[in-house]
Amino acid sequence: DGGITQSPKYLFRKEGQNVTLSCEQNLNHDAMYWYRQDPGQGLRLIYYSQIVNDFQKGDIAEGYSVSREKKESFPLTVTSAQKNPTAFYLCASSSLVEGSGKTTDTQYFGPGTRLTVL
Amino acid sequence: GENVEQHPSTLSVQEGDSAVIKCTYSDSASNYFPWYKQELGKRPQLIIDIRSNVGEKKDQRIAVTLNKTAKHFSLHITETQPEDSAVYFCAASRAWGTAGGGADGLTFGKGTHLIIQP
């Protein structure tokens, strides 16, 4: 877990503004994910990426965009098109294949960014 | 897509008693089932996971059982302690390397708030 960082911890945004949330990992993990968590709810998948320069939409991608230019980084942009952006945003990563050749699906989460729209 | 239902939403048990949380899933192709523990304001932490080729897995006071036919899996915590108080999430996905799958992200249940009464 310590190898995944998210910044900032708290973010305030005015309506109509785009904001970018940072996610960095130094675990050499292949796959990275963005989830959104609302109060009293489970996590919902926004976008994920299994390899550099490639990413796929999750269940709630509308109003969000991502890029994966480097293996270590997977920033999420919350655009003005996202109608209810106030939420706790969690980034995760997984290695997919261990050094021994065994597959692994364990996802490790970053500390999260709490976004509030004013 | 996958749908995961989790029950109960709140569970209160006496310290030292056992707690059981149950989840059902809809996609018969799902074959990886992790459980996460989340304390207030913090990131989810993996506590145990199971794959569909195994019916039960145990780690000290925590165990998970899986019934593929009925498409449900359960978390069992024995000898509960105050530090077990948290929100627990179940999740499901197709494991990396599975036909049609490949680290597509987790589908989470809505969580169970476990309260350990002293």
Side-chain angles (χ1 to χ4, degrees):
Chain A
D1 288 358
I4 305 174
T5 58
Q6 290 185 242
S7 61
K9 186 173 182 180
Y10 298 97
L11 185 57
F12 298 90
R13 187 195 95 174
K14 293 182 180 178
E15 282 194 31
Q17 287 182 337
N18 292 357
V19 289
T20 297
L21 283 57
S22 168
C23 178
E24 304 275 334
Q25 53 97 0
N26 61 4
L27 302 168
N28 198 34
H29 282 177
D30 303 288
M32 298 185 74
Y33 313 82
W34 275 105
Y35 293 89
R36 168 183 172 141
Q37 185 174 31
D38 294 283
Q41 300 290 318
L43 284 71
R44 291 183 291 167
L45 182 66
I46 304 172
Y47 268 99
Y48 63 100
S49 168
Q50 298 174 12
I51 194 170
V52 173
N53 292 324
D54 189 45
F55 48 83
Q56 282 77 43
K57 293 182 180 179
D59 300 319
I60 54 165
E62 185 176 350
Y64 300 97
S65 66
V66 293
S67 63
R68 185 90 187 273
E69 297 178 1
K70 298 185 299 182
K71 188 175 184 179
E72 306 79 27
S73 179
F74 191 41
L76 173 75
T77 297
V78 185
T79 74
S80 56
Q82 170 48 235
K83 290 181 172 41
N84 295 299
T86 294
F88 188 40
Y89 290 87
L90 288 154
C91 177
S93 69
S94 63
S95 66
L96 302 185
V97 180
E98 294 176 341
S100 61
K102 290 173 59 178
T103 59
T104 176
D105 298 274
T106 302
Q107 291 188 23
Y108 299 93
F109 285 86
T113 292
R114 198 165 296 277
L115 173 64
T116 302
V117 174
L118 303 174
Chain B
E2 176 65 275
N3 182 51
V4 176
E5 300 281 344
Q6 182 172 348
H7 299 279
S9 57
T10 303
L11 177 60
S12 181
V13 301
Q14 290 293 123
E15 182 178 349
D17 288 350
S18 296
V20 180
I21 302 170
K22 299 182 179 182
C23 290
T24 59
Y25 61 98
S26 61
D27 186 355
S28 56
S30 288
N31 54 7
Y32 174 65
F33 307 94
W35 286 88
Y36 285 85
K37 174 183 180 182
Q38 186 179 32
E39 296 176 351
L40 190 63
K42 297 195 174 177
R43 73 187 85 186
Q45 301 269 9
L46 179 75
I47 56 172
I48 195 167
D49 57 11
I50 192 169
R51 292 175 179 269
S52 59
N53 59 348
V54 175
E56 183 174 358
K57 185 176 178 180
K58 194 172 182 180
D59 183 3
Q60 299 182 358
R61 297 187 297 109
I62 294 172
V64 56
T65 58
L66 171 65
N67 182 327
K68 284 190 297 182
T69 304
K71 289 191 282 195
H72 67 70
F73 56 113
S74 300
L75 178 71
H76 304 253
I77 305 174
T78 59
E79 301 171 11
T80 53
Q81 299 168 5
E83 54 264 36
D84 293 330
S85 294
V87 179
Y88 291 79
F89 292 97
C90 62
S93 76
R94 298 184 190 184
W96 176 246
T98 303
D104 290 347
L106 296 166
T107 300
F108 284 83
K110 292 190 175 182
T112 295
H113 185 193
L114 177 62
I115 302 166
I116 308 301
Q117 304 276 9

